[in-house]
Amino acid sequence: MLVPLPPVSDLTAHLGFWLRMVSNHVSHAFAGKLAAEGVTVAEWVMMRALYGKDPMPPSRLAEEMGMTRGAITKLADRLIGKTLIVRAADRDDGRAQTLALTPRGTGLVPRLAMLADRNDAEFFDCLMPAERTALEQLLKRLVAHGRITATPTE
Amino acid sequence: MLVPLPPVSDLTAHLGFWLRMVSNHVSHAFAGKLAAEGVTVAEWVMMRALYGKDPMPPSRLAEEMGMTRGAITKLADRLIGKTLIVRAADRDDGRAQTLALTPRGTGLVPRLAMLADRNDAEFFDCLMPAERTALEQLLKRLVAHGRITATPTE
DNA sequence: TCTCCACTGTTGCCTAGGAAACTAGCTCCG
DNA sequence: CGGAGCTAGTTTCCTAGGCAACAGTGGAGA
């Protein structure tokens, strides 16, 4: 005789499920737009982090982007290969490096920012202004409550 | 003489940014809890999809989970290696396979579902019931508007 | 000054998933 | 009934990131 299975909460019962579903989709769509410019989301985030700032050590980027230093090394290598950023030795500390946008990289950032604006509009313009605000406030509350710090890249 | 940089919208100006920030964090925390049971998020989603259902072809799982068939093959291989699911040849179609939970897999699903419940509570219990509802409605509206279908795993 | 330890960045090695080529079986149509 | 094309799943190659070991440099204390 068959024992009935214990009831199990549905996947869709979790807010985390819906959050991830929307987030994945929005990010994936954005990745597609960036790909047309030959850039990945992680590359965009790094370039945006460098834009308008002094040359920055990789360790700082690792912290801001929530990635390991190893991953930053490789990500930087790729951007250097595309001549979008440059790596330079730190003047004072023989161990340290700094990363900075090239002119070409600097010129690209505003174009990519436009794509980000457009992507956001594409998904969130269907909400009323008050709803957008409500969503933003809720998300920021969750960030604060969960002590969430890193810039998302994945 | 230095030309001032064009102003560029801040990363944090986008709802997609906050969405991803929270989503990543929630999922990462969940992944940590699952890891204690020796399971990944993708493995959990596959097991949950099989729970209480008839044996299912990989192609159907690929569709539901928003992954390629190739990825499903490998994911299934891993779960088979852990004796949590089994693969069987389809009775009628010589090409087709079916996947189904083993008794051990079936027994594990409720334990994992508890972890999912707990993870959701950890992040979202700080919201008032009305706020939870509001967030859920907004996310579901976005899903509907963006024609989003696949179960998120990444 | 020399030694030990901390810190910075880099380098394998490993995992996970996508894209596309490939195999095997099915189906339809001549 | 035989071949062309379709379909299901697998396999291969590639990318991206984490982890951990590593090398080189700096700094503090004996």
Side-chain angles (χ1 to χ4, degrees):
Chain A
M1 162 179 176
L2 287 176
V3 176
L5 293 177
V8 157
S9 66
D10 203 85
L11 282 176
T12 61
H14 300 112
L15 275 172
F17 171 91
W18 295 100
L19 205 57
R20 179 131 286 261
M21 191 155 173
V22 176
S23 168
N24 277 354
H25 200 76
V26 172
S27 293
H28 190 262
F30 183 40
K33 294 182 177 69
L34 286 178
E37 299 282 342
V39 166
T40 68
V41 175
E43 287 167 6
W44 148 250
V45 173
M46 179 176 276
M47 291 176 69
R48 181 65 188 81
L50 292 172
Y51 185 78
K53 301 273 177 56
D54 289 329
M56 195 177 294
S59 51
R60 169 112 180 268
L61 284 164
E63 194 180 348
E64 282 188 18
M65 298 177 62
M67 293 171 61
T68 63
R69 287 169 303 160
I72 294 292
T73 295
K74 296 171 219 175
L75 181 50
D77 285 344
R78 268 171 264 146
L79 281 171
I80 291 167
K82 297 178 186 171
T83 66
L84 292 170
I85 69 170
V86 283
R87 180 153 35 203
D90 185 283
R91 175 180 308 271
D92 303 322
D93 186 335
R95 299 166 298 183
Q97 305 281 327
T98 63
L99 299 173
L101 288 170
T102 61
R104 202 166 93 81
T106 304
L108 184 55
V109 168
R111 296 172 52 83
L112 302 180
M114 271 186 36
L115 296 181
D117 294 339
R118 206 172 310 162
N119 194 67
D120 222 56
E122 176 178 334
F123 288 101
F124 299 107
D125 271 6
C126 69
L127 301 182
M128 310 286 292
E131 292 174 324
R132 288 182 56 106
T133 308
L135 180 55
E136 184 173 341
Q137 293 309 314
L138 287 171
L139 291 172
K140 286 183 178 174
R141 286 249 321 270
L142 292 169
V143 167
H145 178 264
R147 314 226 186 300
I148 307 173
T149 55
T151 298
T153 56
E154 314 158 21
Chain B
M1 164 179 176
L2 286 177
V3 175
L5 293 178
V8 157
S9 66
D10 204 84
L11 283 175
T12 60
H14 300 112
L15 275 172
F17 172 90
W18 296 100
L19 205 56
R20 180 131 286 263
M21 191 154 172
V22 176
S23 168
N24 277 355
H25 200 75
V26 173
S27 293
H28 191 262
F30 184 39
K33 294 182 178 68
L34 285 178
E37 299 281 341
V39 166
T40 68
V41 175
E43 287 166 7
W44 150 248
V45 173
M46 179 176 277
M47 291 176 68
R48 181 65 188 79
L50 292 172
Y51 185 77
K53 301 272 178 53
D54 288 330
M56 194 177 295
S59 51
R60 169 113 181 266
L61 285 164
E63 194 180 348
E64 284 189 17
M65 298 177 63
M67 292 171 61
T68 63
R69 287 169 302 160
I72 294 293
T73 296
K74 297 174 227 174
L75 182 50
D77 286 344
R78 269 171 263 144
L79 282 170
I80 291 167
K82 296 178 187 173
T83 66
L84 292 171
I85 70 171
V86 282
R87 180 154 32 205
D90 184 284
R91 174 178 310 268
D92 302 321
D93 187 335
R95 302 166 296 182
Q97 305 282 328
T98 63
L99 300 173
L101 288 170
T102 60
R104 203 165 93 80
T106 304
L108 183 56
V109 168
R111 296 173 52 82
L112 302 180
M114 272 187 37
L115 295 181
D117 294 339
R118 206 173 307 164
N119 194 66
D120 223 55
E122 176 178 333
F123 288 100
F124 299 107
D125 271 4
C126 69
L127 300 182
M128 309 287 293
E131 292 176 321
R132 289 182 56 107
T133 307
L135 180 55
E136 184 173 343
Q137 293 309 314
L138 287 170
L139 291 172
K140 286 182 179 174
R141 287 248 323 268
L142 292 169
V143 166
H145 178 265
R147 314 224 187 299
I148 308 173
T149 55
T151 297
T153 55
E154 318 158 16

